[in-house]
Amino acid sequence: MGEEEEECDIGLSLRLGSGEYTSRRTDERKRQVQLNFLFPSHPKKEIVDYEVHDDDRSSSKTVNQNEEHAIKKDNTSVNSHINKYGTTRKKLRLTKEQSALLESSFKEHNTPNMAQKQELAERLDLRPRQVEVWFQNRRARTKLKKTEVDCEVLKKCCESLKEENRRLKKELQELRSIKFGLPSPFYVQLPKTAALTVCPTCERIAKTSTTDDKNNMVLDVMGKSNKF
DNA sequence: AGAGTCAAATGGTTGG
DNA sequence: CCAACCATTTGACTCT
């Protein structure tokens, strides 16, 4: 019949023919290479999606388990959408109990070792891979949250620096008007700060790090210029 | 309907 | 080289 069905059949036969599971990545990669070799035009993503439902990551027990969780929540919520390869990807919703236990163990250590994952998986009636994925996603969420917080802090910091900048500019204006004995509204634009900080006679560069220093410097310059 | 959430998939990087 | 991790993407599901 249709091309889609043919692809599905091919997928099934390959899936059943997978060898002994050694490691997630190496096995996946071996299959990917094999599939890419056999079907160079086959969409990569969907081949892998299809394969993933096979190995130890989704034993028949766990598929039933996932369905059970979904059914518990809502009988109609089990998604039976069938993709073009005849496979389904059901959305697992962790129960409150599962989430709570995962959360509490995350607080203890956010990167559990293999034995800890295994133990958690047994306690939660999940696969170790699911526990691993949950911790990965959880770390990502923590990091995202931290980034958001950091961003807020930086925004506030930026705002206060802007405010400080405005304040210093205003202060500088006032100091310049003091120098020329003009009231603030009659402020006259002077050369840039650098010119102000250098004494015209001795060419001494003044220190301008504090308000007092600036005041002293201005008074110093004024004192010298009075002698002219 | 579409935006948001989150488990899962995928590919890249890295330390041992 | 490989296991473990991370960043990003996908897709199922929920909420408004």
Side-chain angles (χ1 to χ4, degrees), chain A residues 17-205:
Chain A
S18 66
E20 193 185 339
Y21 181 78
T22 50
S23 76
R24 184 173 71 89
R25 285 303 289 274
T26 50
D27 197 42
E28 265 171 23
R29 274 183 172 152
K30 271 183 212 162
R31 289 187 205 180
Q32 196 62 64
V33 169
Q34 188 189 19
L35 286 160
N36 284 345
F37 176 72
L38 289 168
F39 312 107
S41 62
H42 204 111
K44 198 174 162 192
K45 168 75 178 70
E46 284 160 324
I47 293 166
V48 176
D49 262 358
Y50 189 77
E51 291 301 303
V52 161
H53 284 278
D54 179 42
D55 59 25
D56 76 333
R57 284 188 277 170
S58 64
S59 64
S60 57
K61 183 195 167 214
T62 318
V63 169
N64 291 339
Q65 222 176 61
N66 293 349
E67 279 177 6
E68 236 176 72
H69 287 143
I71 290 162
K72 263 183 209 165
K73 193 160 188 184
D74 176 2
N75 267 346
T76 60
S77 74
V78 180
N79 186 312
S80 58
H81 168 76
I82 298 174
N83 67 21
K84 65 185 281 191
Y85 304 109
T87 61
T88 58
R89 178 169 151 180
K90 291 181 183 108
K91 173 85 178 177
L92 163 74
R93 277 272 155 185
L94 298 171
T95 63
K96 277 182 184 176
E97 293 75 24
Q98 285 172 322
S99 297
L101 183 51
L102 285 164
E103 278 294 340
S104 65
S105 49
F106 182 83
K107 274 172 194 163
E108 282 177 35
H109 26 248
N110 65 0
T111 42
N113 59 33
M114 202 52 226
Q116 288 164 330
K117 279 180 214 167
Q118 188 75 45
E119 193 207 327
L120 260 175
E122 278 169 25
R123 283 179 67 189
L124 294 164
D125 204 19
L126 292 171
R127 281 165 281 137
R129 172 64 184 160
Q130 287 177 298
V131 173
E132 187 182 307
V133 165
W134 186 89
F135 273 84
Q136 275 176 13
N137 286 321
R138 186 64 181 77
R139 283 193 294 272
R141 282 198 291 274
T142 305
K143 192 174 179 182
L144 181 66
K145 191 77 196 169
K146 190 183 175 298
T147 306
E148 283 170 2
V149 169
D150 288 351
C151 189
E152 278 307 307
V153 169
L154 283 172
K155 267 186 193 170
K156 279 178 185 162
C157 187
C158 182
E159 277 309 308
S160 71
L161 282 171
K162 276 182 185 172
E163 182 54 41
E164 171 75 355
N165 190 29
R166 277 192 289 271
R167 196 185 60 74
L168 288 170
K169 275 182 177 171
K170 197 180 164 194
E171 194 181 315
L172 183 60
Q173 267 190 16
E174 283 165 11
L175 290 171
R176 280 173 171 162
S177 52
I178 288 168
K179 181 185 172 185
F180 288 93
L182 293 169
S184 308
F186 302 104
Y187 164 68
V188 178
Q189 181 68 49
L190 284 174
K192 298 280 178 201
T193 311
L196 181 71
T197 58
V198 176
C199 171
T201 46
C202 64
E203 292 190 10
R204 201 189 79 189
I205 296 168

